[in-house]
Amino acid sequence: MAQANKAKSKTNTKSKYRKPQTRWGGIGRLVFRIVKLLFIAFVGLSLFGVILFRFVNPPFTWLMIQRGFERKADGKEWKIDKEWVDFDEIADPMKRAAVAAEDQTFLENHGFDFKAIQRAIEKNSKSKKLIGGSTITQQTAKNVFLYQGRSFLRKGLEAWFTVLIEVFWSKKRIMEVYLNVIEMGDGIYGVEAASQAYFHKPASKLTVRQAAAIAVIFPSPRKWSATNPTRYLKHRQYLIRANMRRLGPLEF
């Protein structure tokens, strides 16, 4: 009996000094659970989207929708001019021009060109005119899955989707999607729409000069013209054609 009372006394003493549950502790655990669920949902949905678009052609991008509303706000008609073409229906010069202009290590890198990124950081630190160091895979990740912007959050998401695309897509698929969704003019998206708009021919018939003329406007497609280039753009076209000649065989 004495031992039982002694044990009960110890239990009461422990309970007396036990740290009480706080309201904020419960809220903290709830917030943690919600954040964990959101993270799991984000990872699952992003994996699903990347794997889906490995086989299914993206029907639109957020940039297309954004540009459509911008046109309406400017009093213009809604315009999303695009037509999907398969990889084999795109002329080889257009693929070479894209690599020569945007990402010459495309077939060798794993989604990131760290030397190009370092060069861009150094140049941007000395100039007000920002230049990019993104690979074709990074641009594809941004165009297909994300919104426009330069925030750290957006760049972090771009890196995440770049890794997923490199893991689940082939280089051939990356190039196919890239050339079909990239903005190539005011309301013009993809190489087929651009080829028809600028040269009145299908993308399968583009020449080296025409492919270089389209590729040169990639950085600013609504400002620059593929058919009425400035002296600067003509020089850039010359450099792109030179890089196209230097490229080895593109084995996708």
Side-chain angles (χ1 to χ4, degrees):
M1 186 71 177
Q3 289 180 348
N5 290 334
K6 190 175 181 180
K8 187 175 181 181
S9 176
K10 285 183 178 180
T11 302
N12 291 336
T13 302
K14 287 182 180 179
S15 63
K16 186 185 296 183
Y17 292 104
R18 186 178 298 160
K19 190 175 182 179
Q21 295 282 342
T22 65
R23 178 187 173 192
W24 293 113
I27 293 175
R29 285 196 299 274
L30 176 62
V31 170
F32 175 75
R33 290 195 189 101
I34 292 173
V35 171
K36 184 170 71 173
L37 288 173
L38 288 174
F39 176 76
I40 293 171
F42 167 74
V43 171
L45 288 172
S46 56
L47 280 169
F48 174 77
V50 170
I51 294 172
L52 175 68
F53 287 148
R54 176 183 176 181
F55 305 102
V56 178
N57 299 330
F60 63 88
T61 67
W62 297 118
L63 179 61
M64 294 177 189
I65 304 300
Q66 176 186 330
R67 294 289 193 241
F69 281 113
E70 288 175 358
R71 285 179 60 87
K72 294 293 288 184
D74 291 338
K76 301 177 182 178
E77 65 177 9
W78 182 277
K79 180 184 178 183
I80 298 180
D81 184 7
K82 66 183 183 68
E83 182 179 346
W84 191 278
V85 286
D86 292 335
F87 180 86
D88 294 333
E89 295 175 18
I90 302 172
D92 182 68
M94 188 67 250
K95 302 163 191 171
R96 297 181 70 82
V99 173
E102 296 294 300
D103 184 5
Q104 295 179 40
T105 65
F106 173 63
L107 291 177
E108 289 77 41
N109 67 48
H110 298 289
F112 303 93
D113 185 342
F114 295 104
K115 289 183 179 179
I117 293 171
Q118 184 61 36
R119 286 196 300 270
I121 292 172
E122 291 174 356
K123 288 184 178 180
N124 291 339
S125 66
K126 302 174 184 177
S127 173
K128 292 182 180 180
K129 185 178 180 181
L130 299 179
I131 65 168
S134 298
T135 63
I136 285 175
T137 308
Q138 286 176 278
Q139 293 180 51
T140 303
K142 176 187 69 176
N143 289 333
V144 175
F145 296 103
L146 299 171
Y147 53 92
Q148 299 297 301
R150 291 182 176 274
S151 68
F152 286 112
L153 173 61
R154 217 275 298 154
K155 294 301 289 185
L157 292 172
E158 178 185 299
W160 165 249
F161 279 104
T162 296
V163 171
L164 292 184
I165 288 173
E166 282 286 334
V167 169
F168 291 102
W169 294 9
S170 65
K171 290 291 187 179
K172 179 178 178 179
R173 179 59 175 170
I174 294 170
M175 178 60 73
E176 179 182 44
V177 174
Y178 173 73
L179 287 177
N180 273 286
V181 303
I182 188 171
E183 186 179 29
M184 295 192 181
D186 188 11
I188 300 171
Y189 303 90
V191 65
E192 180 66 18
S195 183
Q196 294 288 355
Y198 298 128
F199 301 111
H200 312 291
K201 61 167 61 175
S204 60
K205 302 296 183 182
L206 287 170
T207 66
V208 170
R209 284 184 175 273
Q210 291 166 345
I214 291 176
V216 80
I217 69 171
F218 283 0
S220 189
R222 294 192 298 164
K223 178 181 176 182
W224 294 339
S225 170
T227 53
N228 187 27
T230 62
R231 180 179 298 180
Y232 168 75
L233 291 182
K234 288 179 180 178
H235 177 64
R236 288 286 302 151
Q237 288 179 22
Y238 167 78
L239 294 178
I240 289 173
R241 292 197 300 271
N243 287 336
M244 289 170 69
R245 290 192 294 270
R246 282 195 290 267
L247 287 174
L250 299 182
E251 298 178 359
F252 289 94

Coordinates of all heavy atoms in Angstrom, one line a residue, residues 46-47 49-51 53-54 103 105-114 134-142 145 157-175 177-178 252:
S46 N 3.9 18.3 -60.4 CA 5.0 18.7 -61.3 C 5.5 17.4 -62.0 O 5.8 17.5 -63.2 CB 6.1 19.4 -60.6 OG 6.7 18.7 -59.5
L47 N 5.7 16.4 -61.3 CA 6.1 15.1 -61.9 C 5.1 14.6 -63.0 O 5.4 14.2 -64.1 CB 6.3 14.0 -60.9 CG 7.6 14.0 -60.1 CD1 7.5 13.1 -58.9 CD2 8.8 13.7 -61.0
G49 N 2.9 16.5 -64.6 CA 2.9 17.4 -65.8 C 4.1 17.1 -66.7 O 3.9 17.1 -67.9
V50 N 5.2 16.9 -66.1 CA 6.4 16.7 -67.0 C 6.3 15.3 -67.7 O 6.6 15.3 -68.9 CB 7.7 16.7 -66.1 CG1 8.9 16.2 -66.9 CG2 8.0 18.1 -65.6
I51 N 5.8 14.3 -67.0 CA 5.7 13.0 -67.7 C 4.6 13.0 -68.7 O 4.7 12.5 -69.8 CB 5.4 11.9 -66.6 CG1 6.6 11.7 -65.7 CG2 5.1 10.6 -67.3 CD1 6.4 10.8 -64.5
F53 N 3.6 15.6 -70.5 CA 4.0 16.4 -71.7 C 5.2 15.7 -72.4 O 5.6 16.2 -73.5 CB 4.4 17.8 -71.4 CG 3.1 18.7 -71.1 CD1 3.2 19.7 -70.2 CD2 1.9 18.4 -71.7 CE1 2.1 20.5 -69.9 CE2 0.8 19.2 -71.4 CZ 0.9 20.2 -70.5
R54 N 5.7 14.6 -71.9 CA 6.6 13.8 -72.6 C 5.9 13.2 -73.8 O 6.5 12.9 -74.9 CB 7.2 12.7 -71.7 CG 8.2 11.8 -72.5 CD 8.7 10.7 -71.6 NE 9.5 9.7 -72.3 CZ 10.1 8.7 -71.8 NH1 10.0 8.5 -70.5 NH2 10.8 7.9 -72.5
D103 N 22.1 27.8 -77.5 CA 22.7 26.8 -76.5 C 23.5 25.9 -77.3 O 23.1 24.8 -77.6 CB 21.5 26.1 -75.8 CG 22.0 25.1 -74.8 OD1 23.2 25.1 -74.5 OD2 21.2 24.4 -74.2
T105 N 25.9 24.0 -76.4 CA 26.3 22.8 -75.7 C 25.0 22.0 -75.4 O 25.0 21.1 -74.6 CB 27.0 23.1 -74.4 OG1 26.1 23.7 -73.5 CG2 28.3 23.9 -74.7
F106 N 23.9 22.2 -76.1 CA 22.6 21.6 -75.8 C 22.7 20.1 -75.7 O 22.2 19.5 -74.8 CB 21.6 22.0 -76.9 CG 20.3 21.3 -76.8 CD1 19.5 21.5 -75.7 CD2 19.9 20.5 -77.8 CE1 18.3 20.8 -75.6 CE2 18.6 19.9 -77.7 CZ 17.8 20.0 -76.6
L107 N 23.3 19.5 -76.7 CA 23.4 18.0 -76.7 C 24.3 17.4 -75.7 O 24.2 16.2 -75.4 CB 23.7 17.5 -78.1 CG 22.7 17.7 -79.2 CD1 23.2 17.3 -80.5 CD2 21.4 17.0 -78.9
E108 N 25.2 18.2 -75.1 CA 26.1 17.7 -74.1 C 25.8 18.1 -72.7 O 26.1 17.3 -71.8 CB 27.6 18.3 -74.4 CG 28.2 17.7 -75.6 CD 27.7 18.3 -76.9 OE1 27.5 19.5 -76.9 OE2 27.5 17.6 -77.9
N109 N 25.1 19.2 -72.5 CA 24.8 19.6 -71.1 C 23.6 18.9 -70.5 O 22.9 18.2 -71.3 CB 24.6 21.1 -71.0 CG 23.4 21.6 -71.7 OD1 22.3 21.1 -71.6 ND2 23.5 22.7 -72.5
H110 N 23.5 19.0 -69.3 CA 22.4 18.3 -68.5 C 21.3 19.3 -68.1 O 20.8 19.2 -67.0 CB 22.9 17.5 -67.4 CG 23.8 16.4 -67.8 ND1 23.4 15.2 -68.4 CD2 25.2 16.3 -67.7 CE1 24.4 14.5 -68.7 NE2 25.5 15.1 -68.3
G111 N 21.1 20.3 -68.9 CA 20.1 21.3 -68.6 C 20.6 22.6 -68.1 O 19.9 23.6 -68.1
F112 N 21.9 22.7 -67.7 CA 22.5 23.9 -67.2 C 23.9 24.1 -67.9 O 24.7 23.1 -68.0 CB 22.7 23.9 -65.7 CG 21.4 23.7 -65.0 CD1 21.0 22.4 -64.6 CD2 20.6 24.7 -64.7 CE1 19.8 22.2 -63.9 CE2 19.4 24.5 -64.0 CZ 19.0 23.3 -63.6
D113 N 24.2 25.3 -68.3 CA 25.5 25.7 -68.8 C 26.1 26.6 -67.8 O 25.9 27.8 -67.9 CB 25.4 26.3 -70.2 CG 26.8 26.5 -70.9 OD1 27.8 26.6 -70.1 OD2 26.8 26.7 -72.1
F114 N 26.9 26.1 -66.9 CA 27.4 27.0 -65.8 C 28.4 28.0 -66.3 O 28.4 29.1 -65.7 CB 28.0 26.1 -64.7 CG 27.0 25.2 -64.1 CD1 26.9 23.8 -64.3 CD2 26.0 25.7 -63.2 CE1 25.9 23.0 -63.8 CE2 25.1 24.9 -62.5 CZ 25.0 23.6 -62.9
S134 N 20.5 31.2 -70.0 CA 19.7 30.0 -70.0 C 19.9 29.0 -71.1 O 20.1 29.5 -72.3 CB 18.2 30.4 -69.9 OG 17.9 31.1 -68.8
T135 N 19.8 27.7 -70.9 CA 19.9 26.7 -71.9 C 18.5 26.6 -72.5 O 17.5 27.1 -72.1 CB 20.3 25.4 -71.3 OG1 19.3 25.0 -70.4 CG2 21.7 25.5 -70.6
I136 N 18.5 25.8 -73.6 CA 17.2 25.5 -74.3 C 16.3 24.8 -73.3 O 15.1 25.0 -73.3 CB 17.5 24.7 -75.6 CG1 18.0 25.7 -76.7 CG2 16.2 24.0 -76.1 CD1 18.4 25.0 -78.0
T137 N 16.9 23.9 -72.5 CA 16.0 23.1 -71.6 C 15.4 24.1 -70.5 O 14.2 24.0 -70.2 CB 16.8 22.0 -70.9 OG1 17.5 21.2 -71.8 CG2 15.9 21.2 -70.0
Q138 N 16.2 25.0 -70.0 CA 15.7 26.0 -69.1 C 14.6 26.9 -69.7 O 13.6 27.1 -69.1 CB 16.8 26.9 -68.6 CG 17.8 26.2 -67.6 CD 18.9 27.1 -67.2 OE1 19.9 27.2 -67.9 NE2 18.8 27.8 -66.1
Q139 N 14.8 27.3 -70.9 CA 13.8 28.1 -71.6 C 12.5 27.3 -71.8 O 11.4 27.8 -71.7 CB 14.3 28.6 -72.9 CG 15.5 29.6 -72.8 CD 16.0 30.1 -74.1 OE1 15.2 30.5 -75.0 NE2 17.3 30.0 -74.3
T140 N 12.7 26.0 -72.1 CA 11.5 25.1 -72.3 C 10.7 25.0 -71.0 O 9.5 25.0 -71.0 CB 11.9 23.8 -72.8 OG1 12.6 23.9 -74.1 CG2 10.7 22.9 -73.1
A141 N 11.5 24.8 -69.9 CA 10.8 24.7 -68.6 C 10.0 25.9 -68.3 O 8.9 25.9 -67.8 CB 11.9 24.4 -67.5
K142 N 10.6 27.1 -68.5 CA 10.0 28.4 -68.3 C 8.7 28.5 -69.1 O 7.7 28.9 -68.7 CB 10.9 29.5 -68.5 CG 10.3 30.9 -68.3 CD 11.3 32.0 -68.8 CE 11.5 32.0 -70.3 NZ 12.4 33.1 -70.7
F145 N 5.9 25.5 -68.3 CA 5.4 25.3 -66.9 C 5.2 26.5 -66.0 O 4.6 26.5 -65.0 CB 6.2 24.3 -66.2 CG 6.2 22.9 -66.8 CD1 7.3 22.5 -67.6 CD2 5.1 22.0 -66.7 CE1 7.3 21.2 -68.2 CE2 5.1 20.8 -67.2 CZ 6.2 20.4 -68.0
L157 N 12.0 27.5 -59.3 CA 11.1 26.6 -60.0 C 11.6 26.2 -61.3 O 11.4 25.0 -61.8 CB 9.7 27.3 -60.1 CG 9.0 27.5 -58.7 CD1 7.7 28.4 -59.0 CD2 8.6 26.2 -58.1
E158 N 12.2 27.2 -62.0 CA 12.7 26.9 -63.4 C 13.8 25.8 -63.3 O 13.8 24.8 -64.1 CB 13.3 28.1 -64.0 CG 14.0 27.9 -65.3 CD 14.6 29.2 -65.8 OE1 14.0 30.2 -66.0 OE2 15.9 29.1 -66.0
A159 N 14.7 25.9 -62.3 CA 15.7 24.9 -62.1 C 15.1 23.5 -61.8 O 15.6 22.5 -62.3 CB 16.6 25.3 -60.9
W160 N 14.1 23.5 -60.9 CA 13.4 22.2 -60.6 C 12.8 21.6 -61.8 O 13.0 20.4 -62.1 CB 12.3 22.5 -59.6 CG 11.3 21.4 -59.4 CD1 10.0 21.4 -59.7 CD2 11.5 20.1 -58.8 NE1 9.4 20.3 -59.4 CE2 10.3 19.4 -58.8 CE3 12.6 19.5 -58.2 CZ2 10.1 18.1 -58.3 CZ3 12.5 18.2 -57.7 CH2 11.3 17.5 -57.8
F161 N 12.1 22.3 -62.6 CA 11.5 21.7 -63.8 C 12.5 21.4 -64.9 O 12.4 20.4 -65.7 CB 10.5 22.7 -64.4 CG 9.1 22.6 -63.7 CD1 8.7 23.6 -62.9 CD2 8.3 21.6 -64.0 CE1 7.5 23.6 -62.2 CE2 7.0 21.5 -63.3 CZ 6.7 22.5 -62.4
T162 N 13.6 22.1 -64.9 CA 14.7 21.8 -65.8 C 15.3 20.4 -65.5 O 15.5 19.6 -66.4 CB 15.9 22.8 -65.7 OG1 15.3 24.1 -66.2 CG2 17.0 22.5 -66.6
V163 N 15.5 20.1 -64.2 CA 16.0 18.8 -63.8 C 15.0 17.7 -64.2 O 15.4 16.7 -64.8 CB 16.3 18.8 -62.3 CG1 16.6 17.4 -61.8 CG2 17.4 19.7 -61.9
L164 N 13.7 18.0 -64.0 CA 12.7 16.9 -64.3 C 12.7 16.7 -65.8 O 12.6 15.5 -66.2 CB 11.4 17.4 -63.8 CG 11.1 17.4 -62.3 CD1 9.7 17.8 -62.0 CD2 11.5 16.1 -61.6
I165 N 12.7 17.7 -66.6 CA 12.7 17.6 -68.1 C 13.9 16.8 -68.5 O 13.8 15.9 -69.4 CB 12.6 19.0 -68.7 CG1 11.2 19.6 -68.5 CG2 12.9 18.9 -70.2 CD1 11.1 21.0 -69.0
E166 N 15.1 17.1 -68.0 CA 16.3 16.4 -68.4 C 16.2 14.9 -68.1 O 16.7 14.1 -68.8 CB 17.5 17.0 -67.8 CG 18.0 18.3 -68.5 CD 18.6 18.1 -69.9 OE1 19.2 17.0 -70.1 OE2 18.6 19.0 -70.7
V167 N 15.5 14.6 -66.9 CA 15.4 13.2 -66.5 C 14.4 12.5 -67.3 O 14.7 11.3 -67.8 CB 15.0 13.2 -65.0 CG1 14.6 11.7 -64.6 CG2 16.2 13.7 -64.1
F168 N 13.3 13.1 -67.6 CA 12.2 12.3 -68.2 C 12.0 12.5 -69.8 O 11.3 11.7 -70.4 CB 10.8 12.7 -67.5 CG 10.8 12.2 -66.1 CD1 11.0 13.0 -65.0 CD2 10.5 10.8 -65.9 CE1 10.9 12.6 -63.8 CE2 10.4 10.4 -64.6 CZ 10.6 11.2 -63.5
W169 N 12.6 13.6 -70.3 CA 12.5 13.8 -71.7 C 13.8 13.5 -72.4 O 14.8 13.6 -71.8 CB 12.1 15.3 -72.0 CG 10.7 15.7 -71.6 CD1 9.9 15.0 -70.8 CD2 10.1 17.0 -71.9 NE1 8.7 15.8 -70.5 CE2 8.9 17.0 -71.2 CE3 10.5 18.1 -72.6 CZ2 8.0 18.0 -71.2 CZ3 9.6 19.2 -72.7 CH2 8.4 19.1 -72.0
S170 N 13.7 13.2 -73.7 CA 14.9 13.1 -74.5 C 15.3 14.5 -75.1 O 14.4 15.4 -75.0 CB 14.7 12.2 -75.7 OG 13.7 12.7 -76.6
K171 N 16.5 14.7 -75.6 CA 16.9 15.9 -76.2 C 16.0 16.2 -77.4 O 15.7 17.4 -77.7 CB 18.4 15.9 -76.6 CG 19.3 15.9 -75.4 CD 19.3 17.3 -74.6 CE 20.4 17.3 -73.6 NZ 20.4 18.6 -72.9
K172 N 15.6 15.2 -78.1 CA 14.8 15.3 -79.3 C 13.4 15.9 -78.9 O 12.9 16.9 -79.5 CB 14.6 14.0 -80.0 CG 13.7 14.0 -81.2 CD 13.6 12.6 -81.8 CE 12.7 12.6 -83.0 NZ 12.6 11.2 -83.6
R173 N 12.9 15.4 -77.8 CA 11.6 15.9 -77.3 C 11.7 17.4 -76.8 O 10.8 18.2 -77.1 CB 11.0 15.0 -76.2 CG 9.7 15.5 -75.6 CD 8.6 15.5 -76.7 NE 7.3 15.9 -76.1 CZ 6.2 16.2 -76.8 NH1 6.3 16.2 -78.1 NH2 5.1 16.4 -76.2
I174 N 12.8 17.7 -76.1 CA 13.0 19.0 -75.6 C 13.0 20.0 -76.8 O 12.4 21.1 -76.8 CB 14.3 19.1 -74.8 CG1 14.2 18.3 -73.5 CG2 14.6 20.6 -74.5 CD1 15.5 18.1 -72.8
M175 N 13.8 19.7 -77.8 CA 13.9 20.6 -79.0 C 12.6 20.7 -79.7 O 12.2 21.8 -80.2 CB 15.0 20.0 -80.0 CG 15.1 20.9 -81.2 SD 15.6 22.6 -80.9 CE 17.3 22.4 -80.5
V177 N 9.5 20.4 -78.4 CA 8.6 21.3 -77.7 C 9.0 22.7 -77.7 O 8.2 23.6 -77.9 CB 8.5 20.8 -76.2 CG1 7.7 21.7 -75.4 CG2 7.8 19.4 -76.2
Y178 N 10.3 22.9 -77.5 CA 10.9 24.3 -77.5 C 10.5 25.0 -78.8 O 10.0 26.2 -78.8 CB 12.4 24.2 -77.4 CG 13.1 25.5 -77.6 CD1 13.1 26.5 -76.5 CD2 13.9 25.8 -78.7 CE1 13.8 27.6 -76.7 CE2 14.6 27.0 -78.8 CZ 14.5 27.9 -77.8 OH 15.2 29.1 -77.9
F252 N 20.2 13.7 -82.4 CA 19.2 13.7 -81.3 C 18.8 12.3 -81.0 O 18.9 11.4 -81.8 CB 18.0 14.4 -81.8 CG 18.2 15.9 -81.9 CD1 18.6 16.5 -83.1 CD2 18.1 16.8 -80.8 CE1 18.8 17.9 -83.2 CE2 18.3 18.1 -80.9 CZ 18.7 18.7 -82.1

